[in-house]
Amino acid sequence: MADQSVRGRFVWHELVTPDSNAAHAFYGKAIGWKSQPWEEDASYVMFAAARGPVGATVGGNGSAAHWLPYVGTGDLDATIELAKQKGGSVVKDVATLSTGSRYAVLQDPYGARFGIYESADDYGKITPPKPGEHSWHELTSTDHEGAFDFYSALFGWEKLSEHDMGEMGMYLVYGLGGVQFGGMMTMQGASPAWVSYVQVKDVNQTAKKVKSAGGKIVNGPMEVPGGDWIVQALDPQGAMFAAHARAADMQKAAEAKTAKPKKAKQPKPEQEQLSLSEESPPPVVEDSETPAEEQAPPADRPPEEPAQKAPAKKAPARKRAPAKEAPPATEAPTEEAPAKKAPARKSPAKKAPAKKGPAKKAPARKSSKKSKAPAKKKAGKQSSKKRPAAKSAGSKKTAARKGARTVARPAKAKSKTRSGGKKKAAQKPRKRK
């Protein structure tokens, strides 16, 4: 028993071509189809998409290359009779397959050819097409209104909407059960024909593949009412076909293209540090494993880490801090202050000779009674008598200088005054006793 659910649905596509091998090579590059021979006839090579075969190639027998869509019907014989009554004709008579399914090729009243297919298997519910599968079927005719009446009688198609295409006239969208199948339009001077659209993710990329594989772009890529995009082309053998991408898929493709240059042009680490000083808050690099708190600080203030390492370089200065005359560590305001004031600690050492001044008088206090006697008798001779005492209290340099002066004056000490002074000085202690 024939499947009634297949009525009005596009179920198969044949490419009539003079070179089957070349056709498979082209569509494999342009669309991505795989070649799959039919089990019953190896010469009947099919085009396979991700979910299975979608069509096949057949010999042209001298006719021009073209695509032929097949529409399902629940009763093949009744459809053929109705087509004849509506002005259609039979191009290829009924053929039966080993599975029990049957098919035939017809022509509508305006010259466009199409196939009809009666399936012995259940096709199930209509599912949205996937990339690589046919998603739209467009008819160009000399009278698209009359053509719609013909096909509507055969397959039960409904007019879903119409669009004014300006100089091109009206564009009729048809479907079944609210699901859009394709469109029809009048085009005077052109041969009536069906054009099948294959769903792709990006018609721009498909157009490039078509050109690189040896095909020719006829129209597009272009946006159509509703936001979808299409491109129409000819394969190397001259068969016309088209590609269709949904608006959502084209949007994703556009976003992917704009996202790639950003990833390739990420700033280098030094460029990121410069950008941090110009932007607030700093940009977050997703692939960065460095936490935000460890990123380099803005360039307009000194980094914190070098400031902490600076005292470490002045460690020798901190070692001198425990000197006897240095202030306690609690008095230092900062760690760097003792290092800067280190030279000040040496200043008391330089002023040490000033403390030795009183030391010159110390020998006078501790000296014997002989040294005090000359000091009371002759004040003018204190310089010569006190210099020898300074030798013990003063520095070596001071003693050397004073010693030189005392050596120069003994020649004058031979006078009677000095010799008499010595005798009197020697007698005074004895009188005190």
Side-chain angles (χ1 to χ4, degrees):
M1 182 178 179
D3 177 25
Q4 298 296 323
S5 67
V6 76
R7 182 174 184 253
R9 297 162 60 176
F10 289 86
V11 297
W12 195 247
H13 302 78
E14 281 185 344
L15 173 60
V16 181
T17 178
D19 192 341
S20 178
N21 293 331
H24 279 278
F26 169 78
Y27 286 100
K29 296 177 181 178
I31 304 300
W33 286 332
K34 305 295 182 181
S35 297
Q36 181 178 330
W38 186 33
E39 296 178 356
E40 297 185 14
D41 185 357
S43 64
Y44 191 78
V45 183
M46 299 180 290
F47 295 108
R51 295 199 295 183
V54 295
T57 54
V58 294
N61 297 324
S63 61
H66 64 276
W67 278 92
L68 182 69
Y70 280 77
V71 185
T73 178
D75 189 339
L76 188 72
D77 296 328
T79 302
I80 293 174
E81 289 297 325
L82 184 59
K84 291 179 180 178
Q85 295 175 8
K86 293 289 183 179
S89 60
V90 177
V91 177
K92 185 177 180 179
D93 208 353
V94 179
T96 304
L97 303 175
S98 60
T99 58
S101 299
R102 301 190 303 160
Y103 68 95
V105 178
L106 307 179
Q107 179 174 296
D108 68 22
Y110 308 97
R113 293 184 177 183
F114 63 100
I116 56 175
Y117 181 77
E118 180 185 281
S119 177
D121 300 325
D122 186 6
Y123 263 69
K125 296 181 179 180
I126 300 175
T127 58
K130 299 289 184 180
E133 299 176 356
H134 291 88
S135 58
W136 195 259
H137 299 82
E138 189 173 81
L139 173 66
T140 55
S141 177
T142 55
D143 182 2
H144 75 276
E145 290 288 351
F148 174 75
D149 292 339
F150 171 80
Y151 289 102
S152 178
L154 269 59
F155 306 118
W157 288 345
E158 305 166 354
K159 182 188 294 186
L160 300 180
S161 63
E162 280 188 298
H163 301 278
D164 188 354
M165 304 294 290
E167 295 180 356
M168 298 179 65
M170 300 299 293
Y171 189 84
L172 184 151
V173 177
Y174 66 94
L176 189 63
V179 180
Q180 297 181 353
F181 286 168
M184 298 181 183
M185 59 185 297
T186 298
M187 187 173 291
Q188 300 296 337
S191 299
W194 283 95
V195 178
S196 299
Y197 287 71
V198 182
Q199 183 167 312
V200 296
K201 293 182 178 181
D202 186 353
V203 294
N204 295 317
Q205 292 297 322
T206 300
K208 293 179 181 178
K209 293 177 182 179
V210 168
K211 292 179 181 178
S212 63
K216 182 180 179 181
I217 301 300
V218 177
N219 185 25
M222 62 179 292
E223 186 176 4
V224 295
D228 290 357
W229 285 69
I230 64 168
V231 60
Q232 296 174 333
L234 295 173
D235 67 18
Q237 285 73 43
M240 188 172 182
F241 72 102
H244 159 240
R246 297 181 304 168
D249 290 335
M250 289 297 293
Q251 181 65 26
K252 291 179 181 178
E255 291 175 355
K257 289 178 181 178
T258 55
K260 286 182 180 179
K262 290 182 179 179
K263 292 182 180 178
K265 295 181 180 179
Q266 288 181 352
K268 296 180 180 179
E270 56 269 17
Q271 293 177 344
E272 289 181 358
Q273 292 178 2
L274 293 176
S275 64
L276 290 176
S277 62
E278 297 175 357
E279 298 179 7
S280 179
V284 177
V285 183
E286 295 178 358
D287 59 342
S288 175
E289 297 180 357
T290 304
E293 59 269 18
E294 296 181 8
Q295 294 181 359
D300 58 352
R301 61 183 178 87
E304 295 179 3
E305 292 184 0
Q308 295 175 357
K309 294 179 180 179
K313 295 180 180 179
K314 297 181 181 180
R318 278 183 284 207
K319 290 180 181 180
R320 297 192 188 99
K324 294 181 180 180
E325 298 180 2
T330 54
E331 296 178 3
T334 60
E335 294 181 0
E336 296 182 356
K340 294 181 181 179
K341 296 180 180 180
R345 297 176 198 144
K346 296 180 181 180
S347 59
K350 293 181 181 179
K351 295 179 181 181
K355 296 178 181 180
K356 293 178 183 179
K360 293 180 182 180
K361 297 179 181 180
R365 297 171 187 171
K366 295 180 182 181
S367 63
S368 62
K369 297 176 181 180
K370 293 180 181 180
S371 62
K372 293 180 180 180
K376 292 180 180 181
K377 190 173 185 179
K378 293 185 180 180
K381 296 179 182 180
Q382 288 178 359
S383 60
S384 61
K385 294 291 183 175
K386 292 179 181 180
R387 280 169 189 158
K391 290 180 181 180
S392 59
S395 63
K396 293 180 180 181
K397 293 181 180 180
T398 308
R401 293 173 186 172
K402 293 180 179 180
R405 294 176 185 174
T406 56
V407 172
R409 293 179 181 179
K412 296 181 181 180
K414 292 179 182 181
S415 62
K416 295 180 180 180
T417 307
R418 287 187 178 267
S419 61
K422 290 180 179 180
K423 292 179 180 180
K424 292 179 180 180
Q427 293 175 358
K428 287 181 179 180
R430 293 176 184 175
K431 290 179 181 181
R432 290 179 181 177
K433 290 179 180 180

